[in-house]
């Protein structure tokens, strides 16, 4: 198994907005029957992963995280590895046991996996003797969730203790460059479609603010390149109604067996 770099999870795959969990070979999830009593841990999509890590983990004090990438060539062993790691850290427990552990000053652990990527999170508290894997504190270094080679999210804890999710600087600047280049083609329809793809990405508060900034930017670029929209004599300048943003944060399914 290979440990991930500090603050970085890499999904080397082509991003398709709205992409769900890809199909895997039959039998990959057969071990579910053996660990159903442990609870849910297999994440269904990268959208669910982003939501769960930011809200349920970092948002609930599970500040410490560990990442391991399982070898793809040993996919038939993933279930066995799951069971061993869940047992090692007591990574799936009910709420009453969590409360009892917290009352005794012990750290609580949570185990999840998305495809070959294993995450283990834990809270503050006394650590078990088996604690021998590298864990990192999101309060000290932002957690970077890289969905593709061009789209990444930065998750950090603000000074007020709240979780902030935003595009990384590279991703944000990449979107600006893309919109700039499309605007230069003077194809209003293509510009709207390009922004719509960006708008399809989940919108936590930090991302939503960046999308609003991108709307201001794309309108300026549309005007700079004299883009007009409409038919015949009714053509008009492009405006905010052409670059609508969904301001509601949609809750998505997290686990495969929900």
């Amino acid at each position: 198994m290979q440990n991930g770099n500090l603050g970085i999870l890499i999904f080397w795959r082509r991003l398709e907005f709205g992409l769900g969990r890809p199909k895997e070979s039959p039998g990959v999830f057969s071990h579910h029957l053996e660990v159903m009593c442990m609870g849910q841990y297999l994440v269904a999509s990268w959208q669910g992963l982003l939501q769960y890590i930011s809200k349920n983990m970092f948002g609930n004090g599970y500040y410490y995280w560990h990442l391991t990438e399982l070898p793809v060539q040993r996919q038939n062993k993933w279930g066995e590895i799951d069971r061993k790691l869940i047992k090692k850290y007591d990574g799936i427990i009910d709420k009453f046991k969590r409360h009892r552990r917290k009352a005794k000053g012990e750290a609580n652990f949570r185990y999840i996996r998305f495809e070959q990527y294993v995450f283990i999170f834990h809270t503050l508290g006394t650590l078990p003797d088996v604690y021998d894997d590298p864990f990192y504190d999101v309060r000290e270094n932002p957690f970077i969730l890289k969905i593709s080679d061009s789209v990444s999210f930065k998750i950090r804890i603000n000074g007020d203790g709240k979780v902030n999710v935003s595009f990384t600087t590279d991703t944000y600047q990449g979107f600006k460059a893309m919109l700039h280049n499309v605007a230069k083609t003077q194809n209003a329809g293509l510009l709207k479609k390009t922004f719509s793809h960006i708008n399809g990405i989940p919108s936590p508060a930090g991302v939503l603010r960046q999308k609003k900034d991108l709307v201001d930017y794309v309108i300026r670029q549309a005007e700079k390149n004299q883009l007009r929209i409409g038919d015949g004599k009714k053509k008009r300048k492009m405006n905010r109604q052409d670059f609508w943003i969904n301001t509601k944060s949609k809750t998505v399914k997290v686990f495969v067996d929900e």
Side-chain angles (χ1 to χ4, degrees):
M1 296 187 287
Q2 297 177 338
N3 291 324
N5 293 326
L6 178 59
I8 298 177
L9 167 63
I10 300 177
F11 293 142
W12 289 115
R13 55 150 65 199
R14 178 172 55 90
L15 174 65
E16 296 182 54
F17 301 110
L19 182 68
R21 196 181 201 285
K23 293 182 178 179
E24 297 187 18
S25 59
V28 171
F29 305 119
S30 61
H31 64 280
H32 288 196
L33 297 177
E34 301 176 32
V35 295
M36 281 179 64
C37 61
M38 297 181 182
Q40 299 163 323
Y41 68 92
L42 287 174
V43 179
S45 66
W46 67 261
Q47 294 93 334
L49 181 68
L50 174 65
Q51 174 183 293
Y52 192 80
I53 290 177
S54 59
K55 293 184 177 181
N56 298 77
M57 294 291 92
F58 295 148
N60 284 322
Y62 286 76
Y63 298 131
Y64 301 92
W65 62 272
H66 166 80
L67 166 66
T68 288
E69 181 179 0
L70 303 183
V72 177
Q73 65 273 20
R74 297 186 61 199
Q75 188 172 346
N76 62 327
K77 298 292 185 180
W78 289 359
E80 180 181 344
I81 296 171
D82 288 335
R83 290 189 292 274
K84 288 181 178 179
L85 290 175
I86 289 170
K87 182 178 180 180
K88 176 179 179 179
Y89 286 108
D90 209 5
I92 303 179
I93 57 177
D94 62 46
K95 65 178 179 180
F96 296 114
K97 188 170 183 179
R98 289 198 300 271
H99 281 296
R100 289 194 296 270
R101 292 176 65 96
K102 183 176 181 179
K104 292 188 292 185
E106 298 175 351
N108 277 306
F109 286 76
R110 182 64 166 110
Y111 179 97
I112 62 173
R113 174 164 65 80
F114 176 66
E115 298 181 355
Q116 70 266 39
Y117 300 97
V118 163
F119 296 88
I120 306 172
F121 300 90
H122 77 78
T123 63
L124 292 167
T126 304
L127 299 171
D129 294 336
V130 296
Y131 190 84
D132 57 2
D133 292 298
F135 281 81
Y136 306 100
D137 189 343
V138 69
R139 296 170 299 178
E140 297 178 0
N141 296 282
F143 180 91
I144 308 300
L145 183 64
K146 188 166 185 178
I147 304 303
S148 74
D149 55 359
S150 60
V151 178
S152 302
F153 296 93
K154 179 171 69 174
I155 308 175
R156 60 186 175 85
I157 307 297
N158 291 333
D160 59 4
K162 294 183 179 180
V163 179
N164 179 276
V165 181
S166 61
F167 293 131
T168 60
T169 299
D170 284 347
T171 294
Y172 180 73
Q173 294 299 328
F175 283 145
K176 287 184 69 173
M178 182 168 59
L179 292 168
H180 169 84
N181 292 333
V182 173
K184 289 178 67 175
T185 68
Q186 297 187 314
N187 186 329
L190 181 59
L191 188 59
K192 286 184 64 175
K193 184 177 181 180
T194 301
F195 184 83
S196 179
H197 280 245
I198 299 172
N199 192 32
I201 298 175
S203 296
V207 171
L208 182 59
R209 286 192 292 270
Q210 290 174 310
K211 285 184 180 181
K212 290 179 179 179
D213 290 341
L214 286 174
V215 169
D216 293 336
Y217 178 78
V218 74
I219 290 174
R220 292 197 301 270
Q221 292 302 307
E223 183 57 25
K224 180 179 179 180
N225 289 279
Q226 299 183 335
L227 269 71
R228 299 293 182 265
I229 195 166
D231 299 321
K233 296 181 180 180
K234 296 183 179 180
K235 289 186 176 180
R236 60 170 174 78
K237 295 180 179 181
M238 301 190 79
N239 55 43
R240 292 183 181 278
Q241 73 182 53
D242 299 309
F243 306 105
W244 172 81
I245 296 178
N246 183 4
T247 58
K248 294 183 179 180
S249 181
K250 180 181 178 182
T251 300
V252 301
K253 169 184 174 181
V254 175
F255 297 104
V256 171
D257 52 354
E258 280 186 316

